[in-house]
Amino acid sequence: MTRARTPAVAGWFTDAPGGFRLLGTRCSACSAVFFPPEGAFCRNPDCAGGGELLEVPLSGRGRVWSYTDGRYRPPAPYVSDPSVPWEPYTLVAVELAAEAMVVLGQAAPGVGVADLAVGMEVELVPGVLHEDADTTWTTWHWRPVTS
Amino acid sequence: MSGDVAVLGAGMHPWGKWGRSFVEYGTAAARAALADAGVGWRDVDAVVGADTVRGGYPGYVAGATFARALGWQGARVSSVYAACASGAQAIATARAQILAGLADVVLVVGADAAPKGFFAPAGGDRPDDPDWLRFRLLGATNPAYFALYARRRMAVYGDTPEDFALVKVKNAAAGALNPHARYRTPVTPDEVAASPVVADPLRLLDICATSDGGAALVLSSMAYARVHGVGEPVRVRAVSTVTPTYPRAVLDLPDIATDSAAGAAPAPPFREAIATAAYEEAGIGPGDLSLAEVYDLSTALELEWYEDLGLCGRGEAAKLLREGATALGGRVPVNASGGLASFGEAVPAQAIAQVCELTWQLRGTAGPRQVPGARAGITANQGLFGHGSAVVAVR
Ligand SMILES: [Zn+2]
């Protein structure tokens, strides 16, 4: 059976040609960039206003600001099967230079805290958050740059 | 000083897991504070409650709940919600009413019966809520954020897990002397190191538990205190309840990303801004402090506060800790009460409990954990969703 691949959250990332990228919005009046995408209003208090919030892909690479893991099963709404032994996931906070912004994400499967260091270069890759009967819920992952 | 309000009474219900309703804890704390103040309940002009969620009822309740439990007597009432800063905002509301001349005597109460384990957002599908999103998409618990800060400190300043453990050891030693604390046994560095990792590099004993508890204050105008026969009361001199300044450049609970700082003037880090606002309003600086009570949600976060409060420079917190400056008997004891490490979190109560501790310390009645000659203290805490607060009290 083939499950439909559906983003776990709509409009936050794209797998369009050019690569897998997080999607922010950029205010046309003041150039401020927001992630998660801000659709309703510019949050820059010094913005003159009147701008449009336009979709913009974020940098696909950045440097590790910090990282950790989750040794205990998190509560709902995180989806995990309580009948399966808990496998810790790794969280990485990544600093994007161009946007001067830190974005949190899970690390790609198999990447543990021992594989990471603050300042290390990582790249954005597509990932799977979880699967149910009909759907593969997709997300973004960070992975150390190997080349 | 015209901006001062008097702390006439302070009271707590002991913290722990008692399995009773938050109303019982808050009412017990309120009665203790009224007795401590020597003020009758019918003489209270206003009640301010720090909110909690009543189980099974989708609403935040507090002020009127406590007023009903104490016996309806017609007082002005308000309830405030600001996550972990709820208690400080309740104090701010009480103070504003007193300074505006709307009330002479105000009772401030916060209490909670906390769930076991990780705090989690309310149920349902709520993708508009950043708190819901961080759990749904990342499984990012509160300890995960504390661990990100801890790991960052290790990389940038060279802090070690042993430094973090020393915070727990210090706070447990103080908490062992506090009859209101939930945990009253000293802890050794080995015990911290032997506890399981929750979120690398933080271990179970680096992270504060959830608890039941209650705390209350009776605040009044300076004129009322004088008439009441209290000439030199402990005074609340400043209450900071600031929001962050854009661009918020440090990843903070419960956000998935920071603001973009590209092309924007740098803003002071939020926690530092909380303290700065309090110092400015109080007209004092870090050098004037006898003690501080800070939110040690994790051991590493307590170190962060040393720097945010200006007790030392950036990156120097572990050194200050190792020198013993922040322990009982040190230059500026931090968390003389034992802190959240010894109390655990009872969200609406804890910012009020911090001011209870300042009150007892400034009166000189803190018993074996007394900071000798305490004249000025600050509390600092931070609530989810952009609530910051600090209270300065002086004698
Ligand atoms: Zn704008």
Side-chain angles (χ1 to χ4, degrees):
Chain A
M1 190 191 94
T2 312
R3 298 182 177 96
R5 287 180 72 85
T6 306
V9 58
W12 286 25
F13 50 85
T14 176
D15 213 353
F20 183 81
R21 302 286 281 275
L22 291 173
L23 294 174
T25 47
R26 185 173 179 278
C27 172
S28 65
C30 74
S31 302
V33 173
F34 301 101
F35 181 83
E38 194 68 74
F41 34 77
C42 174
R43 291 192 285 104
N44 176 1
D46 298 319
C47 180
E52 271 186 277
L53 291 159
L54 306 168
E55 189 174 277
V56 59
L58 304 188
S59 303
R61 287 190 174 196
R63 294 196 177 274
V64 173
W65 183 81
S66 192
Y67 56 94
T68 184
D69 59 9
R71 303 284 179 97
Y72 290 81
R73 194 186 300 275
Y78 193 72
V79 178
S80 73
D81 182 351
S83 68
V84 174
W86 174 245
E87 281 290 329
Y89 55 81
T90 304
L91 285 171
V92 197
V94 178
E95 202 163 13
L96 307 179
E99 293 84 359
M101 165 188 272
V102 173
V103 179
L104 194 57
Q106 289 191 346
V111 177
V113 290
D115 305 311
L116 295 165
V118 169
M120 170 189 278
E121 191 173 26
V122 291
E123 62 185 344
L124 192 80
V125 293
V128 172
L129 185 63
H130 68 99
E131 296 183 309
D132 55 32
D134 322 306
T135 310
T136 295
W137 297 98
T138 61
T139 187
W140 71 94
H141 282 157
W142 295 107
R143 182 178 71 187
V145 172
T146 45
S147 56
Chain B
M1 206 188 226
S2 61
D4 286 2
V5 299
V7 183
L8 290 187
M12 277 192 209
H13 183 286
W15 294 38
K17 290 274 189 182
W18 303 102
R20 294 197 285 275
S21 157
F22 78 93
V23 185
E24 285 189 49
Y25 309 138
T27 305
R31 290 209 165 102
L34 288 165
D36 183 45
V39 169
W41 162 231
R42 279 194 179 272
D43 295 326
V44 170
D45 300 319
V47 182
V48 185
D51 289 3
T52 185
V53 178
R54 170 173 278 158
Y57 177 78
Y60 291 101
V61 291
T65 302
F66 298 126
R68 178 178 179 273
L70 291 162
W72 296 125
Q73 49 84 316
R76 181 187 290 266
V77 66
S78 26
S79 298
V80 298
Y81 179 73
C84 280
S86 296
Q89 291 210 2
I91 292 167
T93 301
R95 171 180 179 249
Q97 291 180 351
I98 292 165
L99 294 180
L102 298 172
D104 278 330
V105 188
V106 185
L107 174 66
V108 180
V109 192
D112 208 358
K116 212 172 138 56
F118 293 121
F119 283 124
D125 245 21
R126 296 180 301 103
D128 288 341
D129 175 2
D131 199 36
W132 185 90
L133 279 168
R134 53 122 172 180
F135 278 96
R136 176 73 182 81
L137 294 173
L138 302 172
T141 60
N142 292 9
Y145 285 79
F146 308 150
L148 290 170
Y149 307 145
R151 171 62 61 183
R152 178 79 186 165
R153 288 194 66 84
M154 290 169 68
V156 175
Y157 301 132
D159 290 8
T160 66
E162 291 72 30
D163 292 326
F164 303 153
L166 274 184
V167 175
K168 175 71 177 188
V169 171
K170 170 184 76 69
N171 290 353
L177 305 175
N178 190 339
H180 296 105
R182 172 179 178 186
Y183 300 106
R184 300 198 55 206
T185 22
V187 170
T188 67
D190 286 347
E191 285 168 332
V192 181
S195 66
V197 174
V198 174
D200 176 274
L202 296 179
R203 295 175 178 276
L204 196 58
L205 291 184
D206 284 303
I207 294 165
C208 85
T210 60
S211 286
D212 297 357
L217 292 166
V218 176
L219 304 180
S220 81
S221 64
M222 293 303 295
Y224 183 96
R226 261 193 308 280
V227 171
H228 194 63
V230 187
E232 290 288 322
V234 170
R235 300 154 189 231
V236 169
R237 180 148 289 173
V239 185
S240 134
T241 57
V242 296
T243 53
T245 302
Y246 179 89
R248 189 181 189 176
V250 178
L251 187 69
D252 222 335
L253 269 163
D255 293 333
I256 287 173
T258 63
D259 293 330
S260 166
F270 181 35
R271 276 189 288 269
E272 184 182 310
I274 294 167
T276 303
Y279 288 136
E280 280 178 5
E281 191 171 278
I284 68 165
D288 300 313
L289 295 176
S290 312
L291 76 160
E293 289 282 310
V294 306
Y295 262 25
D296 55 326
L297 298 168
S298 86
T299 50
L301 191 65
E302 176 170 317
L303 297 179
E304 201 86 20
W305 280 116
Y306 295 177
E307 297 161 14
D308 292 323
L309 291 181
L311 304 183
C312 61
R314 285 280 158 208
E316 294 170 1
K319 180 168 173 282
L320 194 70
L321 170 78
R322 289 185 215 120
E323 289 167 356
T326 59
L328 286 177
R331 177 167 61 77
V332 54
V334 176
N335 287 331
S337 67
L340 297 176
S342 303
F343 275 73
E345 277 200 275
V347 171
Q350 54 217 33
I352 299 170
Q354 289 181 318
V355 179
C356 288
E357 178 67 12
L358 289 193
T359 302
W360 294 323
Q361 291 284 354
L362 293 169
R363 285 178 182 169
T365 59
R369 64 181 194 286
Q370 179 65 44
V371 176
R375 301 298 298 175
I378 194 169
T379 71
N381 56 67
Q382 185 185 354
L384 220 55
F385 316 116
H387 298 106
S389 71
V391 177
V392 173
V394 298
R395 183 91 192 256

